[in-house]
Amino acid sequence: EVHLVESGGGLVKPGGSLRLSCAASGFTFSDAWMSWVRQAPGKGLECVGLIKNEAEGGARDYAAPVKGRFTITRDDSKNTLFLQMNSLKTEDTAVYYCATFGAGRKFDYWGQGTLVTVSS
Amino acid sequence: DIQMTQSPSSLSASVGDRVTITCRASQSISSFLNWYQQKPGKAPKLLIYVASSLQSGVPSRFSGSGAGTDFTLTISSLQPEDCATYYCQQSYNTPRTFGQGTKVEIK
């Protein structure tokens, strides 16, 4: 069974940094494309970014609002996905989900999410 | 960016009713359209991918159709557990964008 568990969320001041983690199990993590999707309170879903597997070059892409501030990385030896968030803004406040991005270009499995609150 | 527009934004229907949600893309996205269900306080769940393929484990009362710019999610017989918000999402190109959501309530 696929299992994704996010951690690392919390309260941070504007301009601060935070690193989220997503521990994966139940599938071959090194083969998977992985993504981060966020949801601001009471709002819809936004794909923050995606990282391909290393066999396909590990390429990454990011949504415009976070490009240059957020970095997605992966540690295939530890089956873990990361999201490094710098220069945080109040508008980055959201629940952050990690999700697999499977064949058919779909977000097929999701974690339970971790809340990031950016506030002074 | 490709804009995804869902209608209606919300609906109320009775148990057993047939429910239809539409999603329109601002340009053609072929069949790269997925549907998700989200219940309050929970992560989204994939229902339909590439417009009409049912994700494993999803009840057969859910179905999807469409291609190009116009897509539909249908619940053939609404059940109490279908009370949720439904999102469409395009994967034709980046950024991978979502619709604004349709909230389904039971009368």
Side-chain angles (χ1 to χ4, degrees), chain B residues 25-96:
Chain B
S26 59
Q27 67 182 73
S28 177
I29 58 171
S30 185
S31 294
F32 292 106
L33 189 284
N34 307 315
W35 289 97
Y36 303 85
Q37 176 194 65
Q38 187 179 33
K39 296 182 179 181
K42 300 294 186 182
K45 172 188 172 184
L46 176 67
L47 298 177
I48 302 285
Y49 60 99
V50 290
S52 60
S53 294
L54 191 68
Q55 174 71 349
S56 177
V58 173
S60 59
R61 64 180 179 273
F62 292 93
S63 65
S65 64
T69 60
D70 294 311
F71 300 86
T72 299
L73 173 70
T74 299
I75 308 173
S76 61
S77 177
L78 189 67
Q79 299 301 303
E81 59 267 31
D82 300 335
C83 179
T85 299
Y86 294 83
Y87 294 94
C88 63
Q89 175 258 323
Q90 67 81 20
S91 286
Y92 181 74
N93 64 12
T94 57
R96 301 162 193 89

Side-chain angles (χ1 to χ4, degrees), chain B residues 5-33:
Chain B
T5 304
Q6 291 181 229
S7 61
S9 297
S10 65
L11 66 90
S12 181
S14 300
V15 172
D17 282 355
R18 184 180 183 89
V19 169
T20 299
I21 299 169
T22 63
C23 178
R24 175 164 288 176
S26 59
Q27 67 182 73
S28 177
I29 58 171
S30 185
S31 294
F32 292 106
L33 189 284

